[in-house]
Each structure stands twice: as C-alpha cells, then as structure tokens.
Amino acid sequence: MNTKLSVILLIVLVTFCSCNDTKKETPNVSSVNKSDASGAVLPFPPTPMASVTKARVQDSKMKWPEETQRLPKDAPNVLLVLLDDVGFGISETMGGEIHTPNFDRIAKEGLLYNTFHTTSICSPTRAALLTGRNHTRVSSGTIAERAVAFDGYTGIIPKTAATIPEILKEYGYHTSAFGKWHNTPATETTMMGPKNHWPNAYGFEHFYGFLGGETSQWEPRLTLNYDHIEPPHDENYHLTEDLAKQALNWIDNSRAFSPDKPFFMYWAPGGVHGPQHVASEWADKYKGKFDDGWDAYRERVFKRQLEMGIIPEGTKLTPRDSTLNGWADIPEDQRAFQIRLMEVFAGFVEHTDTQVGKILDGLENRGLKENTIVIYIFGDNGSSAEGQNGSISELLAQNNIPNTVEQQIAALEKVGGIDALGSPHTDNMYHAGWAWAGSTPFKGTKLVGSYFGGTRNPMAISWPKGIKHDSVVRTQFHHVIDIAPTLYTILGIPHPEEVHGYKQQKMDGISLAYTFNDAKAKGQKKEQFFDNNASRAIYKDGWMASTFGPLIPWNTPASVNRIKNWDMDNDVWELYKLEDDFSQAHDLAKENPEKLEALKKDFLVLAEDNKDFPIGAGNWLRTHPKDIRKPPYKEWNFSQTTQRMPEFNAPGIGRENNTVTVDLEIGNKANGVLYCVGGAGGGITLYMENGILKYEYNMLLIENYSGQSAQPLKKGKHKIVIDTQVKGAAQAGTVNVSVDGSEVINVSLKRTVPLAFTATETFDVGVDLGSPVSYEYFKKRPFKFDGIIKNVHVKLN
C-alpha cells in the first residue's frame, strides 16, 4: 500500500471514530398513522432505540413506551346477560309465577325497564344488540339457518357495523362470549370454516358455546374459539351449568394475567330455547302450579302485574287469538302432557336464572361487583310458540310437519312416557298456549313483530358504583340497538367513523343513560322499525302502526297457504296510541285513518333505508325449501375420521335422492355406527349390532321408519349401498340397502323432512356424537364402530 493511500484511510478511520464518540439522541422515527376505535387518527409512539455508542450494553438505558390509555380511569367491567325465548309475564319480577331471584336481584340493586324491545327472533336480536343497528341493516333479517340472498337477510354481520367487543377491545378491554352465538351462516360452521364470521372474528378474544340456534343441554355441540370440542361424557352434565363455570374461570384468568384491564362478557345461554332440557328435580318444583291451564295463568299474572305496578293502571288484558286453543279445548286425557311440558319449562327458567346467580356471586366474591355494569335482558324475544300444540320434537314446526298430540304422546311412550320430558330422549317444547300466557298482558309471541308479546322483554341494569337504585320502573321506549350506544356513552367513546379499515354505518340506536338518574325523563327515542317474517310495525312519537303478516307462529302448517297466497298490499294494519294503551288493546285504525296512512308510509321509508326489501323475505324458505343455503357439491368421499359436520353442511341424505356407498372391513359380530346425521329429535343412522345391519329414519320422533338385515354380516370386506329416493320436499320415499350386490333392507318412508332434522347436530362417520339418533343404542353412545371404514361415498342423484 502506498503512503498517500495509507494517509487517506487513516483520516477516514479517525473521522468515523470521532463521529461515534458523540452521543446521539434516539432517532425520531416517522409516526405511523393508526386509527383508534373512535375513528381518530393517532400517532403511533416512536419505537425507542438504544443509542449506538462505544459504551457497553450493560451501561445503556432502554425504556418501553407507556401503553396508551383510551379509557377513563377505573373503567367498569360489563356483564351482558341475554336469555332466550322468555316472555314478559314469566318472571316473578314481572308478576309471573316462575322463580327468578337473580333477575329480581339486579332489578332491586339497579333499575327495571318495562318498555324495552327486541326484534322478536333470535339471530336478528343478537346482531342488533351487538352492533347498535337495526337487524336488517346488518343483514340479519332472519335466523342464520334461514338466510337467503337478499341484502338484509344474508345472515352475515358486515364489518361496516363493528360490534361492541370489536370496539371495546381496541380501547383496552378483555372480551369474551359464552353460550349461543347464532350469527354465523350455517354453511360456515364446519371445522374447516371459513371462520371469519365466527365470534372471535367479531372482537371476542374468547368464545365457549355453540354456533347454531340451539343445542342439546345434555350433549351440546360445543365450540371453543376456533375448534369444535366434545363435552364430558357425564350423566350429570348440563350446558348452562358449564357456561357459568367457564365464565368464572375466564374472569379468574383475566384478573391473573391482566389485573388492570376491565372485561366485557356476553353471557347468552341456550336457556330457555328449545329443546327445553332440565333435570326432573327442577321441573318437580312446579308440580301442581299450572294445573288450571294457560287462561287462568294469564288472569292471575295480569292481576299481579297491576298490583305490583309493573304495568300502568288502565292496561287491558288482551284476548286470546281465535286460532289458538283455550285450556278448555284441551281433552282431559292430554292435560297431564301439557302440564308437564310447562313444569319442565318453568324448571328450566329457574335453573337458568340460578346459573346467572352463580356468576353474580362470583363477581361479588372477587370484589368486582361494585364496578361491574350488569345488563340482564330477560329474553331475545317473547316466549316461543314453536312448540305448536305441545311437542316432543321442536323442529316439527320449523319443517311445517302436520302432526297431532295423540301422535306426540304415543311416540313419547316409546322413550319413557311423560317422565322423559326434559331428558336427552326428547327435544320437547311446551304448547303455544303457555307461550301466549308467558306474554301477559300482550297478544303475541315470538315471531310476531307487530305485537309486544313478540318484541317487548323485561330488562334490568345494575352498576353499584355508577347507578343509584330506584324502585320506579323505567317506562321510556327503548330497543336492543340502544345498548351499544349506552355503553359507549358511559365510557366516553365516540361513534367510530372507521374500524379496522372499514368505514362504519350510522348508528341506529341511542343511549338510554339519560334514564339512570331520572325515572320520569321524557323518552328520547323518536322512532323504531320492526319486521319479522312480514309481521311488522313502526313506533313513532308514541304511536304504533302494525300488521300481523301471513305467518301464524303457533300453527305453521296452516301458514303455508297463507304465505303462498300472501300479498302485502292486502295486509290489514292496526293503530295504537301507546301512551293510553300499554298492551295494544285498542285499535284506532278506523278512528284515525290519516295517522295510520302516514305511519305506513313512514314504515316503507324506514324499511328501504334498513335494507328490508323485499318484505317477507324471512318466509322465503317456507315456500322455497330447495333454496336453503347449502354446499355446492353433489358428491363427497368421507373417511372414518369425518366427524362434527354440521347438518346444514352435510349431504341432504334425509331429504334428497341420493346413493351412499360404504366400503368396510369387519370382524365377527361387528358393532357401531357406520354413519349418521341428526340427533334424538330426528335423524338418520346406519349401524351394526352383533353383525346385524340396521337402518333407521327418525322422523322427528313422531314416526320411525326402520329395517334390518335378516342375517349378520360375515367377517371380512363388504360394500354396502344405500339408495334413497324421495318424491319431493316432505314427501314419501323408499330406502333400499344392499350388501355386496344383494338387497338386505327395504324401508318405506311415509314422509321426509324438507329442511333439516336439527339445528346443530352433525353428520358423523364411525360414531354418533352428540345426541344419538337412535334410542336403541342410547346407552351405548357414542357407539363407536369397531371395524374399519375405508370410504363413505355420497352422491346426490
């Protein structure tokens, strides 16, 4: 190296070293714009970087930025409780006759509301509650299983309507949901998803419950976050009890790992939706209490409601609809059946409220009661009339299957008689008369959007630290869409303009926090829109216009022709001035036709704005069952590991023409289920018992079509072909089963299910998970097959 070059290198080296001797400040990293849940653009704190000096690492200082605080100091926890299918006149708190000490507890510690409303149906209420928007605006005009391809009815909550947990999580809350979800399209509930419409994708950090509209309380189809799991095989297990235990465990984990963070918990059990399942000791508490029937129950409850001040003086008890049976119409030999159904329901209600009490006790024992807002909504709609004339299999109504009480009782005898009601052997629901009684003093039930019996549910709020108890019942007109803005008001969270990159829809709800300190405050809600299966109404400035629509919830078979021939222009509308008429007892349509016409026009404006057109879209599948949302496939190959395929995703082997081919290998006297779909309330199963091949079509319990091979199958390999031919939706069919080319079973199907056997039961290969399809192997459940199933090929013909 020459001398000149050496000097240049030395100068460069000295310059570099002197630069590093100068201590530098942390570089000013360019801010990253990040929108918080309010929509405001906030600078992301610059990342601290250790100075690059000649000092040792041990001598350097490093400091993490403080976490941004977006909540008021000591922000409250939130427990949102939502029961299922309970009406206004059920709880003792509201003058009813069913013991609910924990709903009463919240009312007596906080505030009670008697003019609070829902959408009159499950999925829509939940979507409206969690988003603060009207149900059709967030594409939830009907239940997830009945979703159809109209904008307001797809069953998918859009990301443009962020949920409460999505927003609260961004502000620093831990979030969880327990129980019933029912806001995911039925075809998206398989273990393979897609899972972008599951609870975790809507802001819940933890979910434990079931995705569909209902499940057995004894053998629920459980989901933990993004995975399907099985409940313990324990004869004492009950889902609602499990949900309370899991909720408290989650609270403990939240406090252990993040003691400074508040939590938001959405606790929505299956209770008391059908199937109405509860241990007999709970039902036995009510023996003899309902022996005089539903008409007498209404009279007693109405009188008590007036005495308690739950309803205002001058309220009239509305009459029973002419299409609904009175208690006097029930034959004497059927009354024990009807009474026991109500006793089971009552026990289920009390049992469910008791589990809420366990959570409330848990909050108190953990020192969390004072700063926890508890919102207890007593029903996502009114009491359910879907039991029709009393049912041991509730999906009879969903499938519009005509049946008689005599059939119900006869079928019940095969599984243990009246004592089996509430057990794993039935999917029972009480007579619609009891649902009507549970709606006292109103004239509607669940699925009726025009009358308060379907849409008015009791609600209580407590927050010892923030709300002073007041025994005066709050009477301001409000709706589930008002819960989200109420929470945002309490926490000082402005309406988000954008969440996770999605521009947000307007909020339909308003805060009801103004009612906390002033029982007599003038109601601030000016209007509210209702529509359920074309049973619709509009509330505006104290008036309500409504029309019943074509669906009779307590008689769905009789509704078929009504829906088929329905024309909305022929609907008869009614008019009520609610200030003087709490129960919608006085129709003023003839006295004030101008007001009625104005409100009808206002309804259409709201309906269009809320994506409710076409009116009546919720009834579409009742007359077009083939349009049910289902997989696009016509052919499948399943292995012995195929399990937990939700019925709405599975091949329609019970309602369509199909051929199933099973390749297997067995030993002597083989046992177990080859494949099945459904549960105790209805389904199909092919199984082996000591080598005998058996086929059973459980027609929603009221009928059973079955057959078996004359001889046991020999040890070795076999090809079993099951050919099913059905004449049409809900019509008759035949099933031929052959083994190695020879027919061994021939079964005639007198009728078939047009839609589904169950809401959350599954298609399984090699085992019958959940509620067992056949009573014959109930004690052997899940009756795992002891041979080798090489392939199950299903082809729809």
Side-chain angles (χ1 to χ4, degrees):
M1 182 182 297
N2 61 47
T3 304
K4 185 176 182 180
L5 180 58
S6 298
V7 172
I8 293 172
L9 288 173
L10 180 61
I11 293 171
V12 171
L13 181 61
V14 171
T15 302
F16 178 76
C17 291
S18 65
C19 288
N20 281 280
D21 280 340
T22 304
K23 187 173 181 181
K24 292 176 133 184
E25 296 298 324
T26 301
N28 184 15
V29 180
S30 297
S31 296
V32 179
N33 288 336
K34 180 180 182 183
S35 294
D36 76 351
S38 70
V41 177
L42 303 174
F44 192 89
T47 303
M49 298 179 65
S51 299
V52 181
T53 71
K54 66 181 181 182
R56 297 178 306 164
V57 171
Q58 290 90 331
D59 296 330
S60 300
K61 294 182 179 180
M62 190 278 286
K63 182 180 180 182
W64 290 109
E66 293 185 5
E67 186 174 339
T68 303
Q69 296 298 314
R70 298 189 175 97
L71 287 170
K73 188 177 180 181
D74 201 21
N77 304 306
V78 180
L79 170 62
L80 177 55
V81 176
L82 179 68
L83 298 197
D84 201 335
D85 285 9
V86 278
F88 190 88
I90 292 293
S91 167
E92 284 180 337
T93 308
M94 307 303 291
E97 297 185 350
I98 298 179
H99 193 44
T100 53
N102 295 293
F103 181 59
D104 203 52
R105 171 180 179 179
I106 297 303
K108 288 179 178 177
E109 291 176 354
L111 306 173
L112 179 65
Y113 292 75
N114 72 348
T115 319
F116 184 79
H117 300 85
T118 58
T119 71
S120 82
I121 189 170
C122 305
S123 301
T125 289
R126 292 156 200 274
L129 171 65
L130 291 173
T131 65
R133 279 85 170 182
N134 284 321
H135 57 305
T136 49
R137 189 184 302 284
V138 289
S139 302
S140 301
T142 187
I143 57 173
E145 295 85 355
R146 288 189 175 274
V148 286
F150 299 112
D151 288 346
Y153 292 82
T154 64
I156 298 174
I157 300 174
K159 289 299 183 179
T160 54
T163 64
I164 297 171
E166 280 182 290
I167 292 174
L168 293 192
K169 184 173 71 170
E170 294 304 316
Y171 273 81
Y173 273 77
H174 277 315
T175 59
S176 63
F178 296 88
K180 174 174 169 175
W181 175 241
H182 209 196
N183 285 118
T184 298
T187 52
E188 296 183 13
T189 58
T190 73
M191 64 179 68
M192 298 306 295
K195 301 182 180 181
N196 52 326
H197 299 128
W198 287 30
N200 299 83
Y202 282 106
F204 289 109
E205 296 171 319
H206 181 81
F207 172 71
Y208 183 91
F210 56 100
L211 295 177
E214 62 177 45
T215 195
S216 168
Q217 292 290 310
W218 306 112
E219 297 129 334
R221 304 296 75 215
L222 287 175
T223 297
L224 173 61
N225 295 318
Y226 285 115
D227 298 303
H228 295 320
I229 62 171
E230 289 297 309
H233 190 63
D234 179 353
E235 63 181 16
N236 295 316
Y237 175 90
H238 192 281
L239 173 59
T240 320
E241 296 175 10
D242 187 18
L243 294 176
K245 178 181 177 182
Q246 295 289 338
L248 291 173
N249 289 345
W250 182 83
I251 290 174
D252 286 339
N253 285 332
S254 176
R255 296 175 70 224
F257 293 107
S258 305
D260 59 330
K261 280 198 169 189
F263 67 78
F264 170 80
M265 179 185 291
Y266 173 52
W267 198 82
V272 292
H273 193 288
Q276 291 160 355
H277 283 162
V278 75
S280 58
E281 55 263 32
W282 290 89
D284 290 346
K285 290 184 175 186
Y286 291 89
K287 277 192 172 181
K289 294 187 181 296
F290 310 118
D291 287 2
D292 51 358
W294 45 79
D295 295 287
Y297 178 94
R298 267 179 79 89
E299 294 287 348
R300 293 195 305 270
V301 170
F302 176 67
K303 181 180 178 182
R304 195 178 300 117
Q305 288 174 333
L306 286 171
E307 292 171 348
M308 293 172 62
I310 292 299
I311 60 178
E313 291 182 17
T315 298
K316 301 298 182 183
L317 180 61
T318 56
R320 176 170 25 84
D321 191 274
S322 61
T323 63
L324 186 64
N325 283 336
W327 184 248
D329 300 321
I330 303 302
E332 192 65 39
D333 61 354
Q334 296 178 11
R335 291 190 176 184
F337 171 68
Q338 304 293 4
I339 290 168
R340 187 56 177 175
L341 285 170
M342 180 56 180
E343 292 170 354
V344 170
F345 171 81
F348 194 14
V349 173
E350 182 176 342
H351 177 266
T352 302
D353 181 78
T354 299
Q355 309 318 308
V356 177
K358 290 179 182 178
I359 300 174
L360 298 178
D361 289 343
L363 291 173
E364 189 166 3
N365 295 337
R366 289 161 174 78
L368 300 173
K369 174 183 174 180
E370 288 298 307
N371 199 29
T372 297
I373 300 171
V374 179
I375 302 174
Y376 194 155
I377 303 174
F378 205 75
D380 58 350
N381 42 243
S383 292
S384 176
E386 292 162 304
Q388 312 278 288
N389 294 316
S391 180
I392 61 172
S393 184
E394 61 158 325
L395 257 74
L396 285 165
Q398 296 286 355
N399 283 282
N400 284 332
I401 303 293
N403 62 88
T404 66
V405 175
E406 288 83 359
Q407 282 179 299
Q408 300 276 347
I409 294 174
L412 185 62
E413 290 302 318
K414 298 175 184 177
V415 294
I418 285 179
D419 290 341
L421 293 173
S423 78
H425 300 309
T426 65
D427 281 357
N428 53 277
M429 282 191 73
Y430 60 2
H431 192 289
W434 294 119
W436 169 69
S439 296
T440 306
F442 310 117
K443 50 189 171 184
T445 65
K446 175 185 178 180
L447 303 184
V448 178
S450 57
Y451 298 146
F452 292 145
T455 60
R456 184 167 285 180
N457 287 87
M459 189 264 288
I461 299 179
S462 74
W463 180 21
K465 187 174 181 179
I467 298 176
K468 183 180 179 181
H469 168 64
D470 185 344
S471 60
V472 179
V473 178
R474 268 40 179 183
T475 61
Q476 295 85 358
F477 194 103
H478 279 285
H479 190 275
V480 289
I481 60 174
D482 300 329
I483 294 299
T486 299
L487 292 175
Y488 301 151
T489 296
I490 291 171
L491 298 172
I493 297 175
H495 174 65
E497 297 174 5
E498 186 175 294
V499 177
H500 299 152
Y502 293 93
K503 184 175 176 58
Q504 295 294 290
Q505 301 174 6
K506 66 180 181 181
M507 190 75 73
D508 292 313
I510 68 167
S511 173
L512 54 76
Y514 70 92
T515 66
F516 291 170
N517 298 320
D518 186 356
K520 301 301 182 182
K522 184 178 180 180
Q524 296 181 7
K525 196 172 190 69
K526 299 302 180 184
E527 63 181 13
Q528 181 60 49
F529 144 85
F530 298 90
D531 185 7
N532 176 12
N533 295 299
S535 178
R536 53 204 191 277
I538 177 173
Y539 164 83
K540 189 169 184 178
D541 297 327
W543 291 84
M544 176 164 272
S546 60
T547 185
F548 185 78
L551 176 68
I552 305 173
W554 44 87
N555 195 340
T556 52
S559 301
V560 174
N561 286 332
R562 284 171 56 97
I563 295 170
K564 193 177 296 184
N565 300 317
W566 171 72
D567 182 340
M568 64 176 286
D569 291 334
N570 296 329
D571 280 341
V572 177
W573 283 73
E574 301 164 8
L575 179 67
Y576 301 99
K577 189 176 183 181
L578 301 181
E579 180 183 355
D580 306 320
D581 187 7
F582 184 82
S583 61
Q584 293 176 295
H586 302 291
D587 178 11
L588 302 176
K590 292 181 180 179
E591 297 174 36
N592 202 337
E594 295 84 5
K595 185 67 176 179
L596 178 59
E597 287 305 312
L599 287 174
K600 287 168 65 176
K601 290 177 182 178
D602 289 339
F603 174 85
L604 290 175
V605 172
L606 280 176
E608 183 175 17
D609 179 53
N610 283 279
K611 302 192 300 184
D612 191 36
F613 293 153
I615 302 296
N619 286 321
W620 185 266
L621 292 181
R622 296 183 188 275
T623 52
H624 302 82
K626 288 191 175 181
D627 286 342
I628 189 172
R629 190 171 185 183
K630 58 186 177 182
Y633 316 115
K634 293 293 183 181
E635 205 163 347
W636 295 259
N637 281 296
F638 300 118
S639 71
Q640 197 159 352
T641 61
T642 301
Q643 297 175 3
R644 292 290 297 269
M645 185 180 216
E647 184 180 344
F648 282 86
N649 287 88
I653 59 175
R655 62 179 186 268
E656 300 179 71
N657 294 335
N658 67 89
T659 302
V660 181
T661 304
V662 182
D663 288 302
L664 50 67
E665 184 173 355
I666 61 172
N668 289 319
K669 297 184 177 181
N671 284 282
V673 174
L674 302 183
Y675 69 82
C676 66
V677 64
I684 291 173
T685 180
L686 183 73
Y687 65 101
M688 298 185 73
E689 198 163 40
N690 294 323
I692 300 293
L693 184 64
K694 298 185 177 184
Y695 173 91
E696 183 175 332
Y697 190 113
N698 178 349
M699 175 56 196
L700 303 178
L701 273 177
I702 62 170
E703 293 168 5
N704 191 287
Y705 319 124
S706 60
Q708 64 182 52
S709 62
Q711 301 295 329
L713 274 63
K714 295 180 180 179
K715 178 182 179 181
K717 298 179 180 179
H718 297 282
K719 183 185 290 292
I720 303 173
V721 178
I722 305 93
D723 181 69
T724 303
Q725 298 297 313
V726 178
K727 293 180 180 179
Q731 296 184 39
T734 59
V735 180
N736 290 293
V737 182
S738 64
V739 177
D740 302 327
S742 299
E743 183 180 294
V744 297
I745 302 173
N746 184 281
V747 177
S748 294
L749 309 177
K750 294 181 181 179
R751 50 182 171 172
T752 53
V753 294
L755 288 175
F757 291 108
T758 66
T760 54
E761 291 290 338
T762 57
F763 175 86
D764 303 305
V765 176
V767 67
D768 188 346
L769 296 176
S771 176
V773 174
S774 178
Y775 181 70
E776 297 300 319
Y777 57 72
F778 174 82
K779 292 182 180 180
K780 301 176 184 179
R781 68 193 191 284
F783 205 25
K784 187 175 181 180
F785 183 58
D786 58 14
I788 299 172
I789 299 174
K790 298 181 178 180
N791 187 58
V792 176
H793 177 259
V794 180
K795 184 177 182 180
L796 301 181
N797 303 323

